[in-house]
Each structure stands twice: as structure tokens, then as C-alpha cells.
Amino acid sequence: MGTVQHVVISVDAMGGDRGPATVVAGIADSARKNPEIAFILHGPKAELEPLVAKRKELAGRVTLRDATGVVSMADKPSQVMRNGKGTSMWSALESVRDKEATVAVSCGNTGALMALSMIRLRKLPGVDRPAIAILWPSRNPQGFNVMLDVGADIKANARDLLQYALMGSSYARNGLELERPRVGLLNVGTEEQKGGAELKEAHDLMKAQADADGYDFVGFVEGGDIPGKRCDVIVTDGFTGNVALKTGEGTASLIGDLLKEAFAYSPLSRISSLLALSSLTRLKKRIDPRRVNGGVFLGLNGTVVKSHGSADETGVSAAVKLAFQLARSGFSERLAARVAARLEESDASAVATDAPSPQDAAGKKDAK
Amino acid sequence: MGTVQHVVISVDAMGGDRGPATVVAGIADSARKNPEIAFILHGPKAELEPLVAKRKELAGRVTLRDATGVVSMADKPSQVMRNGKGTSMWSALESVRDKEATVAVSCGNTGALMALSMIRLRKLPGVDRPAIAILWPSRNPQGFNVMLDVGADIKANARDLLQYALMGSSYARNGLELERPRVGLLNVGTEEQKGGAELKEAHDLMKAQADADGYDFVGFVEGGDIPGKRCDVIVTDGFTGNVALKTGEGTASLIGDLLKEAFAYSPLSRISSLLALSSLTRLKKRIDPRRVNGGVFLGLNGTVVKSHGSADETGVSAAVKLAFQLARSGFSERLAARVAARLEESDASAVATDAPSPQDAAGKKDAK
């Protein structure tokens, strides 16, 4: 007793729009709130050392890894795959590869981070396409829904979508504490005859596999269900998911600005906005994207949390909090076990079996 | 002088969730505000006659067409195509087919309305896939952007997307009074190397055709640009557009409800919400979907405005207003002339020519 068992998070200090000082401020915020957390911080040691030294809450909680290269937002993924060695991003993934941490966090270039994660962490056996999952404010009691893929890949076939259902429901179980998540497949209508052949095939696979994978399949859902309460996990291809994500973000941001404008309109409305401040603050807290900051890369040997490039201290701290929750729950191992169990039990042609199987046992292992 | 030249709109009184009384109330509202407008109203005469008689602003402004059949929300498009004759929806389209009106309005079943429109009005020569265009609240000075297709079809190839650019920019010119609309192609990134082969081909076609078709092509845009100010017209396939539309609507509606909740939280916030009422009303007016109520079917011989099924009186009136604007500007004829001009000038293989062409003349005809 007396000593705290630390959960170690690997953090890329570089590559965000606001530079390493913001990342260090963010992890200091996390360290202050959470005594269980410790960090391996990757970047140019000469630059990071004084930043860390200034934060007394980080004393004894940070291991520095010197990496002088930086992946910029303009770098192409293919370039980074060839020349990325020696960058802070590469180094942050290396800590997960070497099992020093199970989750890495980066604010850097999404495409480069996914490309490096693929070559350094490698895909889980049985996963053809890793996916990026995000949390979306919703009408459900847990306050958020999971949507994936939001842009790891622009395509997904029926079997990829089935894997997304497995990975997304595992994420919802560990990240949102939902024992049996409800999964929906995004389409343009809820009738079974709509959508293309690929979607119909995915629909039938997901329906057949639901019990074995430990989720309830609600069938086709529509865009309005992403912030809705019909399901907890929305499965779609990376093209559609990325457009939906950015449309929703853009619309929310437009409404926020129009709200500000409306309140600045007249002296009376300015006074009323002062009175309304606490109401608006509560609302902002509920839907502030900084507080749900973190796309999660699923389907790799290890988990990567991608923070927004423009994340401020609050955003970085939220991404670290998510990484901590996933690391402490043993999410990476649980998801790997689930994917492996399905792989053992079924080859590609037999995946739709409904018979009781070893997956039920794996299911219990994954459940809370 | 003294007599008013009426613009005639064909209106389907049936098939909306709230029944014909709401539709009649909506057109009465339009008639009161706009002395230039007149209606052909389609539905069961025995039911409509007393509803119309009660509204003195409709006296002498409504021609009733008896049609006793009703297309319900549950009817399948294929059924309606076989058995739709005699319904109010069929009858409303017939008035456009017979040139009594150039624009029809219906609150009914979208799939059935599109299916009937295709067989009764027929596609414009040169258009393979008609599209549904909507107006989306945006940061642009005109307050709205055009997005299409939002669900006429789930697929679109490069040449369909090129047609959508032509049709969407013509709509923006006539509906939003933008002389030279800026058109963007929806993708998951703005770099030219992203997206699939179909999108790259569409990108190059749209770029080559921009001058001849009278728009500026801004290249690839992202979901965040739908409510943004980078372009005025967003082109995408009907699957992606439908998901984006419903995600944006769902997110806006969630924020609206959370806002109400936030203001109901405490006595102080309830008082402040009273003071803030005029600000919030201004905001609501700006983004109220009822005020931009109307998907427009483009690419047919005639124009069809699809109002929300759940539209109330204000919503119906907004759809009628849009129909009136399009009818008065001669939009149906202008768009047809534009499509025909391009068809004459180019066969499928020569569409990407950059040479000056008869289309420039057509462009001036279309411009305000």
C-alpha cells in the first residue's frame, strides 16, 4: 500500500498545431487530476525538459524519450512511412510496440499516424482494415455514441463492416461501460430493401454474428440516429463516416457562432446573455468537442488515441483521460482476444454461424 | 393594369403527416403574403372544398382537381408506380406535365414522389440521374448553401456528378440569385490525391467544364464546408448527401433540445431565458428547418418541390414560396436549356473540352 500502481500512457509531444508547451500543459492537467497516471513523453529532450521541469505535478511521473524529428501536418503519409524513423510520432508508437504502454496519444497528422501505426504496430490477425472510432454527443443516457470508421480508409466491404461492429461494440463496452451495446448499420433508410448489395450483405452478417459478438443489432439506421438514441454504435465506411463527422461538427460550430451573434444583437440581449451564461456554459460543456477529444484507432496491436491537431490544454487532457480509461480497462488485450476468438472459431465462409461457440466464453471475458 | 399576372403552383393536398387542413392553411398563408400566386390544388374535392371555402384569402385563387386516391408514407415506390393513377400526387404532377404549372409541391412520400416524377415528367434528355437538392444554413452572405444529391439515388458516377454541378449551380443562380456560384465536390480531404477513382474523374470533368457551365470550381471540399463559406454548391452522391443531411439535422435538433434543457435548469436560468427569448427566436428563425423547407427534384421536365412530410403551416408556406421563386424565374426552362445546350455541343467523350462554345450564350440566358 502507499505506492500507486501507475498506468503508463505514451504521448507524442510534437506535431500538434499549438506545439509541445500545450501538450505538456495538458498532461500536467491530467496528472493533477489523476494520481494513477504516468507518461512516456516523446520529442526533442532539450525542448521538453524545461517544459516538464516547470510543472511540479509532473515530478517523477514523466519519462522523456529523445526524438528530434517532427512529423508536420503537411507531410504525406507515404513520405513519413519511408522517413519517419527518429520522429516523436514513431517513438511514441515504439513504446506501445515494446509493451511499455498499451495506449499512445498524438495530436499529429492523422494520415501519417495511421500509416505509421499500421507498419509499426501491425494489424491484429483477422482484421483487414483498422478503423478510427469517435464519440459523438447523443440522446442516450451515456451521453455519447460511438461511430466508426470516420476515415482510416475510404472503403469497407461487408466483412470489414462486420469487424467494425465487433471493434466498435468492444470499444463501447470498455469506453462507455455498456455491457451489451446496440449496433446500427448506417444507410439512407431503415427499410431492409434500401442501400447497395454490400450493405445488405453486411446487414445479414452483423445480424447473424450479434449474439456471438455480444451486441444487439438494431439493423439499418440513418444519419439522424448518430446523435440519437436508437443505438450506441454506428457502423459505416470511412468515407461516409468522415463526411458525417465533419458535417455534424461544422453544423454545431455554425449554431454556436449564430448563438453568440444572436446574444450580441442588442443591449438587452447582451444583458440576458450574462444571465444565461451558466446555462450556456453547461450546454457548451456537454457538447464541447474538446471534451470528447480523441479518435481511437482500432484493429492494431495496441491502441492509438488521435487528438485533434488544434487541441488546447483541455483537449489534450481529455484525450489522455480517454487513453487512461482504455489502458486501465485492458481494452487492447480484450479486443485482441475477441478478434482472435472469432478467428479461431470460424474461417471466412463460416462466420455467419449461430451455434453456441467458444466466442461466448470470450464474450464473458470482455464484459464488465 | 389592375389585374395581377398569377404564377400558378400545382399543390398535392394529401400525403403529409398533418393532413390537408395544414396544407390549405399553408397555401392560405402564402396567398395572403403574395398577391402574385395562384394554385391548382389536388385531392378529394369533397374534403378540400370546405377547407378552401373557410379561407377568404384563397377566394378566386384556387382551382380544385378532384383526386380521391392518396399515396401513404408506407407505400412502396414500385406499388405507386403501378397503381398511382388517380392519386393526388399523380394529379399534381399531371398539371406540370400538361404545362398548367411549371412547379409542383408535395408533402408526400419522397420515394414515391420521385418514382412518379420520373415516369410522368420524364428525365431531361442528357440527364441519367435526377437529383434532390436542398438548402443548408451556411456562413455565406446568402445564408444558405445548395447540396445535391441528398437521396434521389444511392449511386452517382463521374458524369452524374458533373450533371449535378450544372443543375446545382443553375438552382443556386435562380434560387439564391448567385450569378456565378462556387461549386465544390465532397470528399474526405481537400488534397487532390484523396478519394476514389470516380471522384478524381468527376473532379477533372467539373474543373474542365466550369467556365462553359458558368460556375467557379473550388475543387474538393469536406463535410465542414457544407455549412461553411468555401463554396455555394456542394456536389455529392445521394447516399453520402442523405447521411450528411440527416446527421446535420439530427445534430442541430439535439443542440436545440439541450439548449432548452440548459435554460430550464434553475429559476435564474429560466428568467434569463425569458430575457434571451428574442435572441433565441432570431437564431431559431435563421436555422429553423421549416423556413428552408423543400428539397427540389432537378433533372426532370418540370420542377418538383418536396416538402417535409411533417411540415406544419409555416413549412408548407416556405415550400410554396420556394416553388413560386423558381416558377417566376423560369427556372425549369432555363435549366432545360442549359442541359440541352451542353448536350448539343458535346457527346459523352468530348464533354471535357475547354474551347469556347454555344454554352457561353446559354450561360448568359440563365444568368440574372
Side-chain angles (χ1 to χ4, degrees), chain B residues 2 35 37 51 70 80 86 190 192 208 216 244 255 276 282 285 287 291 300 339 349 359 362 366:
Chain B
I37 204 164
L51 291 172
V70 174
V80 176
T190 53
E192 302 209 357
D216 287 331
I255 294 173
R282 262 194 308 279
K285 195 164 170 175
I287 58 168
R291 294 186 181 268
L300 302 162
V339 171
S349 60
Q359 290 169 318
D366 192 342

Side-chain angles (χ1 to χ4, degrees), chain A residues 76 136-139 154 186-188 193 195-196 199 222-224 226-227 239-240 242-244 246-248 250-255 257-259 262-263 265 268-269 272 275-276 279-280 282-283 286-287, chain B residues 76 136-139 154 186-188 193 195-196 199 222-224 226-227 239-240 242-244 246-248 250-255 257-259 262-263 265 268-269 272 275-276 279-280 282-283 286-287:
Chain A
K76 296 215 163 51
W136 191 259
S138 81
R139 295 177 192 272
I154 55 166
L186 194 60
N187 198 346
V188 293
Q193 78 274 17
L199 277 180
E222 298 190 89
I226 297 172
F239 186 91
T240 310
N242 188 274
V243 167
K246 289 183 177 164
T247 303
T251 302
S253 144
L254 173 64
I255 294 173
D257 289 352
L258 292 174
L259 200 58
F263 275 113
Y265 188 74
L268 180 63
S269 60
S272 69
L275 286 171
S279 301
L280 294 177
R282 261 193 309 280
L283 173 65
R286 176 89 155 75
I287 59 167
Chain B
K76 294 216 163 53
W136 191 258
S138 81
R139 294 177 191 272
I154 57 166
L186 194 60
N187 198 346
V188 294
Q193 77 275 15
L199 276 180
E222 298 188 89
I226 297 173
F239 186 91
T240 309
N242 187 274
V243 167
K246 290 182 176 165
T247 303
T251 302
S253 145
L254 173 64
I255 294 173
D257 289 352
L258 292 174
L259 200 57
F263 275 115
Y265 188 74
L268 180 63
S269 58
S272 69
L275 285 171
S279 301
L280 293 177
R282 262 194 308 279
L283 172 65
R286 176 89 154 76
I287 58 168

Side-chain angles (χ1 to χ4, degrees), chain A residues 63-368:
Chain A
T63 307
L64 283 180
R65 284 288 151 77
D66 191 35
T68 51
V70 174
V71 175
S72 83
M73 288 296 176
D75 287 340
K76 296 215 163 51
S78 54
Q79 292 173 331
V80 176
M81 280 171 83
R82 281 193 304 274
N83 312 317
K85 202 170 175 179
T87 63
S88 59
M89 188 183 275
W90 179 289
S91 182
L93 295 170
E94 223 54 15
S95 288
V96 175
R97 187 181 156 97
D98 296 344
K99 314 279 184 215
E100 298 178 295
T102 59
V103 183
V105 175
S106 175
C107 305
N109 181 328
T110 307
L113 184 59
M114 181 48 93
L116 280 189
S117 298
M118 297 265 271
I119 58 169
R120 297 312 289 162
L121 303 183
R122 303 229 163 249
K123 294 183 282 190
L124 282 173
V127 173
D128 292 331
R129 286 196 167 93
I132 305 177
I134 50 114
L135 296 176
W136 191 259
S138 81
R139 295 177 192 272
N140 273 315
Q142 72 270 16
F144 299 96
N145 291 342
V146 171
M147 173 162 71
L148 75 168
D149 175 28
V150 298
D153 204 327
I154 55 166
K155 277 184 292 198
N157 64 27
R159 289 199 36 84
D160 296 326
L161 294 169
L162 177 65
Q163 286 287 9
Y164 294 174
L166 176 76
M167 299 195 298
S169 56
S170 183
Y171 177 39
R173 211 174 284 117
N174 289 279
L176 297 175
E177 307 195 351
L178 297 171
E179 202 164 322
R180 198 174 167 88
R182 294 162 303 155
V183 176
L185 179 60
L186 194 60
N187 198 346
V188 293
T190 52
E191 302 87 358
E192 300 208 357
Q193 78 274 17
K194 288 208 179 174
E198 198 74 52
L199 277 180
K200 286 190 190 84
E201 192 191 338
H203 178 283
D204 295 344
L205 285 174
M206 286 164 71
K207 194 170 172 181
Q209 196 65 16
D211 270 342
D213 284 352
Y215 57 81
D216 286 331
F217 182 55
V218 305
F220 289 132
V221 297
E222 298 190 89
D225 296 313
I226 297 172
K229 58 185 178 187
R230 280 195 60 214
C231 61
D232 310 296
V233 177
I234 294 93
V235 168
T236 188
D237 65 89
F239 186 91
T240 310
N242 188 274
V243 167
L245 167 65
K246 289 183 177 164
T247 303
E249 282 181 344
T251 302
S253 144
L254 173 64
I255 294 173
D257 289 352
L258 292 174
L259 200 58
K260 266 183 239 154
E261 220 173 79
F263 275 113
Y265 188 74
S266 70
L268 180 63
S269 60
R270 277 196 292 275
I271 291 169
S272 69
S273 84
L274 284 178
L275 286 171
L277 201 61
S278 67
S279 301
L280 294 177
T281 305
R282 261 193 309 280
L283 173 65
K284 195 161 177 236
K285 195 163 169 176
R286 176 89 155 75
I287 59 167
D288 186 350
R290 298 180 308 168
R291 293 185 181 267
V292 286
N293 182 33
V296 177
F297 294 3
L298 303 175
L300 303 162
N301 292 294
T303 301
V304 178
V305 174
K306 165 64 177 76
S307 159
H308 260 294
S310 60
D312 62 6
E313 176 181 337
T314 306
V316 171
S317 177
V320 166
K321 185 178 173 189
L322 175 60
F324 170 81
Q325 283 169 338
L326 294 174
R328 195 178 50 176
S329 73
F331 169 65
S332 303
E333 300 80 1
R334 286 178 178 196
L335 176 57
R338 224 170 224 284
V339 172
R342 191 206 274 171
L343 196 66
E344 273 167 35
E345 180 258 347
S346 64
D347 60 38
S349 60
V351 75
T353 179
D354 253 334
S357 76
Q359 289 171 321
D360 290 329
K364 293 203 181 77
K365 202 166 139 197
D366 193 342
K368 291 245 155 183

Side-chain angles (χ1 to χ4, degrees), chain B residues 3 12-13 34 239 266 345:
Chain B
T3 56
D12 174 9
N34 186 344
F239 186 91
S266 69
E345 180 258 345

